[in-house]
Amino acid sequence: MIPFVRNFDFAWGRRDQVSPLIQRVICENPGPFTFTGTGTYIVGRPEPGAEVAVIDPGPLDQAHLGALLAAVEGRRVSHVLVTHTHRDHAPLARPFAAAVGTPPILAMQPPAHETHASGRLDEDEAEAFVPDVILTGGERIAGDGWTVTAMATPGHASNHMAFALAEENALFSGDHVMGWATSVVAPPDGDMADYMRSLDAVIAAGFSTLWPTHGAPVTEPEPFLVALRAHRLEREAQVLARVTAGDRTIGAMVPGLYAAVDPALWPAASLSVLAHLIKLETEGRVAVDGGGPPVLDSAYVAG
């Protein structure tokens, strides 16, 4: 079992000092994919005059913009970092940067293709978002007493970037790893094989704390990540077993695989099953009946 943490102390719009170099402000945009809301992180010393970076400003929400401006008042924002370009993470970056002196906005290249099956997810792409600096992974961003390194973690999104804080051996994990639930991996932009490779890289790095954009921190990363990896592999085995047992479509598989999950989330679950099937098809373990690429309405056979 993954040791999820779903209860933690928070209040929308409040600046919380969650570690010596990290403050967090949570936006009032709760939902099935955002949990309690988007958590924006401020990295740096809390004293007036300090230089800080801001990670994932969040959605276009005027109350959240006001809370962020109040939270950084008296300090200089040197960088705005975005983990990925979904609309609950990226759209406020430009208005926030404009309000604090136009620091550069850094993120991976936005995807150039459709990111989700239409109408199935709330966390669609922020189509108008364009960063000032394109990250590819490995870039070092230094500030006043803090050092952040970009860590490419594709899977949840093709352009997902996590950020490692050297001084606290911590990772701002965006939506790649969340403490309250597993991340949605939704083709065509989400990729399960990429997700598993990124997960292995995070496990190997040995971080002391993970700070997801949604929910509480993961304070014991190793057992959490090992359990998360085992869960993904177990789900993959379950998907393969359903195909072997005779299920031919994703619609036939989801009710049994996700019987304990709110049916309102089954459309998202169907995309996760598709991600597993794409990985299995690439590995030659299943095939699309009649050929063609795996899509939601394909029929599958065991390879």
Side-chain angles (χ1 to χ4, degrees):
M1 296 290 291
I2 305 170
F4 290 125
V5 177
R6 296 189 173 100
N7 295 314
F8 70 109
D9 179 40
F10 82 97
W12 291 312
R14 184 180 74 192
R15 189 188 87 173
D16 290 325
Q17 187 77 39
V18 294
S19 83
L21 286 175
I22 303 171
Q23 302 97 49
R24 181 187 62 211
V25 181
I26 297 180
C27 179
E28 190 175 355
N29 64 326
F33 299 103
T34 59
F35 191 37
T36 60
T38 297
T40 300
Y41 292 101
I42 304 165
V43 181
R45 294 183 295 106
E47 298 89 55
E51 181 182 73
V52 300
V54 171
I55 301 176
D56 279 353
L60 286 174
D61 183 286
Q62 287 301 309
H64 190 54
L65 175 59
L68 291 182
L69 294 177
V72 300
E73 186 175 3
R75 296 182 287 174
R76 186 175 81 85
V77 179
S78 62
H79 300 81
V80 177
L81 310 176
V82 176
T83 60
H84 61 298
T85 50
H86 286 169
R87 65 186 181 188
D88 55 326
H89 293 251
L92 198 62
R94 189 65 61 187
F96 173 76
V100 296
T102 62
I105 300 169
L106 291 74
M108 288 189 79
Q109 180 71 47
H113 51 79
E114 181 186 0
T115 56
H116 294 311
S118 178
R120 287 181 173 261
L121 292 179
D122 289 337
E123 49 173 19
D124 291 329
E125 195 70 21
E127 295 179 357
F129 175 79
V130 178
D132 299 314
V133 178
I134 302 294
L135 301 174
T136 58
E139 293 87 352
R140 181 176 176 273
I141 303 147
D144 178 14
W146 52 265
T147 309
V148 167
T149 301
M151 181 180 185
T153 48
H156 170 72
S158 63
N159 66 336
H160 195 285
M161 184 72 73
F163 297 98
L165 177 61
E167 287 75 10
E168 297 188 2
N169 191 33
L171 184 73
F172 297 98
S173 57
D175 284 358
H176 178 62
V177 177
M178 300 187 294
W180 71 283
T182 57
S183 299
V184 173
V185 179
D189 192 55
D191 185 287
M192 190 62 72
D194 282 347
Y195 183 88
M196 296 302 291
R197 284 190 287 268
S198 296
L199 190 60
D200 286 342
V202 172
I203 292 172
F207 293 106
S208 299
T209 308
L210 307 179
W211 293 99
T213 300
H214 307 288
V218 177
T219 57
E220 296 185 23
E222 183 177 3
F224 187 96
L225 293 169
V226 169
L228 177 58
R229 186 179 189 278
H231 167 78
R232 290 290 188 182
L233 292 175
E234 180 183 15
R235 182 67 77 196
E236 178 181 286
Q238 291 171 344
V239 169
L240 182 59
R242 294 311 311 162
V243 177
T244 302
D247 286 352
R248 288 293 174 260
T249 65
I250 290 173
M253 298 178 205
V254 166
L257 291 172
Y258 292 89
V261 174
D262 184 346
L265 298 178
W266 284 1
S270 69
L271 291 170
S272 182
V273 173
L274 176 60
H276 280 294
L277 285 164
I278 291 172
K279 179 176 180 289
L280 290 167
E281 193 266 348
T282 300
E283 296 168 350
R285 300 166 68 189
V286 302
V288 180
D289 191 6
V295 293
L296 281 171
D297 57 359
S298 292
Y300 300 89
V301 294

